[in-house]
Amino acid sequence: MPRSLRALTTSTALVVTAALLPLSAGPASAARTDPSPEPAPRAATGITIRDTAVASPVFVPVAPTSSRATTWPIGGGSTNLVGPSGTATGAPAQQLSRVQMRHYRVYGGVLAGVVDLVAAPDASTPSWVLVAFGNVSADGTMCESPAGSNIAFTSTDTDTVNNPVYDGARIQIKPFQFPTARTATWNCAFADTATDSTFATPYDSLAGPASLFRQKPDLKIVVKGRKLKRYGFTRIPVVIKNSSDTIATAPRVRLKVRTRGVAVRYNPRVGTIRPGTAKRGSIRIKDTRPGKGFVTLIVTSKDYRRKVRLVVREVRG
C-alpha cells in the first residue's frame, strides 16, 4: 500500500519569500536573548523626533549586565520607568505614572511604547511629554540623549486612531520609524512632562536603566507532503527560511535527521542563512517497515535549534 509523508508540527515563524539557494548538492535567537517580536513601523502623525540633545535632571542607576554569554547581535532594548518621582510640581494630569518604551533595529529602526499619566488631562491641565533613550554620562549623574534619540508630543490630543493614540490617562505610541534605533546601544532612558516644547520647566521627570536584548535567527522548516515510492528512495523537498523580522544571520546551519521506521539520506551541511533569505534542498526517504514511521528534522546554528516532526503513514490509492 502506498505511503505518504505529512508534517505534524511546524515552526510558527513568519514565512518570507526569498531567493532560494542549493542546500544539498547530490541526490541526497550581556543581555537576554529574545526571538523576533519586532512590529512593522507605521506613521507617527503626532510625534516629533527632536533634533536636540537633552539630558535627564536626575541620577540614573544602570542595571548590572547579565552574565549570560551570547554572540547574537543586539536586536533592540527597552525601559520601564515607574513613578512617582517625588519631585513633581504639576497637577496629577501632568505627572507621570509609568513609561514603557521598546526600540528595535529592524526596519531601519523602530520605536514603540506607552505613557501613563496619573490622571487624564484636559484643556486646563495640558503638558508636553518627552521620552528619551540615551547613555549614562561619564560622571554617572544623568542620562544623556543625543539628537534624534528623543521624541515629544502633547498630552491633550483626543486622537484615538492615528499615532500616538490617546485614551484618558494613557497615551499609546504605536511602532514608528526611529532611525537612531538602527544602531543604538542605549543603557538608560527618561521621560519629562513640561509646560512647553522646550522642556525648560518640567512638571515631572522619571529616569532609569534601559536593557538591551539580543536576537537569534528565526528559522522555519518547510516540508511538502507527498507519496513515497513503493520501492527505493523518494526525494522530499525541504526549504529552511530565516525571517525578515530578525537581524540575526544564522551561520553554519546544519541539518540533523532522526527517524523511526524509515531510512533517510541527506546532506547535513546547509550553510549561512541571512535574514529574509532561505535555502532549498531535499532529503531522501525510504519506507523500511509496516506501520507508522517518523522523521524529525533538526536545524542548528550556534546555540539556536529548531525542529519539525513528520509522519509516514499508509494511504489508499
Side-chain angles (χ1 to χ4, degrees):
M1 181 173 291
R3 312 271 278 168
S4 72
L5 179 76
R6 298 182 183 179
L8 289 183
T9 59
T10 59
S11 159
T12 57
L14 177 68
V15 178
V16 180
T17 302
L20 304 180
L21 306 175
L23 181 151
S24 56
S29 250
R32 67 187 188 278
T33 304
D34 287 1
S36 295
E38 291 74 3
R42 60 191 75 188
T45 55
I47 298 172
T48 300
I49 300 178
R50 303 175 77 244
D51 59 2
T52 304
V54 65
S56 67
V58 295
F59 172 76
V60 181
V62 178
T65 302
S66 170
S67 59
R68 182 179 179 181
T70 178
T71 57
W72 296 112
I74 293 173
S78 62
T79 188
N80 183 24
L81 309 175
V82 182
S85 65
T87 59
T89 60
Q94 295 163 330
Q95 298 178 27
L96 297 163
S97 173
R98 171 173 289 188
V99 177
Q100 296 172 295
M101 302 295 293
R102 194 170 175 96
H103 63 87
Y104 310 93
R105 286 189 167 184
V106 292
Y107 302 117
V110 176
L111 183 68
V114 173
V115 174
D116 289 317
L117 303 172
V118 174
D122 56 30
S124 67
T125 55
S127 66
W128 278 81
V129 182
L130 168 77
V131 176
F133 275 104
N135 293 94
V136 176
S137 59
D139 61 3
T141 60
M142 63 184 67
C143 181
E144 297 176 331
S145 177
S149 301
N150 52 86
I151 61 173
F153 48 88
T154 61
S155 68
T156 54
D157 201 324
T158 59
D159 189 348
T160 59
V161 178
N162 295 306
N163 194 10
V165 175
Y166 296 79
D167 183 15
R170 168 159 289 192
I171 306 172
Q172 180 184 1
I173 303 166
K174 296 179 181 179
F176 72 96
Q177 205 81 54
F178 197 54
T180 53
R182 185 171 59 88
T183 57
T185 55
W186 296 311
N187 62 8
C188 64
F190 62 96
D192 294 340
T193 56
T195 57
D196 56 42
S197 59
T198 67
F199 294 92
T201 309
Y203 291 125
D204 196 9
S205 183
L206 296 178
S211 60
L212 297 173
F213 66 86
R214 293 185 179 271
Q215 196 171 60
K216 293 185 178 182
D218 196 359
L219 299 182
K220 178 181 176 69
I221 309 167
V222 181
V223 182
K224 291 186 177 181
R226 60 172 52 189
K227 288 185 179 180
L228 302 184
K229 297 176 182 178
R230 189 176 296 274
Y231 305 103
F233 285 86
T234 303
R235 179 182 178 275
I236 307 297
V238 177
V239 179
I240 303 174
K241 307 178 179 182
N242 192 6
S243 173
S244 62
D245 283 354
T246 180
I247 64 167
T249 293
R252 300 182 298 279
V253 178
R254 294 188 66 85
L255 175 67
K256 180 185 294 186
V257 180
R258 295 174 180 169
T259 66
R260 190 180 76 187
V262 297
V264 175
R265 294 175 179 171
Y266 68 98
N267 184 348
R269 296 184 298 274
V270 178
T272 295
I273 309 178
R274 295 184 301 275
T277 67
K279 290 206 172 184
R280 172 180 287 169
S282 64
I283 61 175
R284 292 181 175 268
I285 297 179
K286 181 175 72 172
D287 185 31
T288 59
R289 70 183 188 189
K292 190 178 295 186
F294 294 96
V295 179
T296 301
L297 305 182
I298 305 169
V299 292
T300 59
S301 176
K302 295 196 293 189
D303 62 347
Y304 178 90
R305 186 173 183 268
R306 178 59 58 88
K307 69 179 180 179
V308 60
R309 193 183 191 204
L310 314 170
V311 62
V312 178
R313 56 164 58 95
E314 293 181 351
V315 295
R316 297 187 178 277

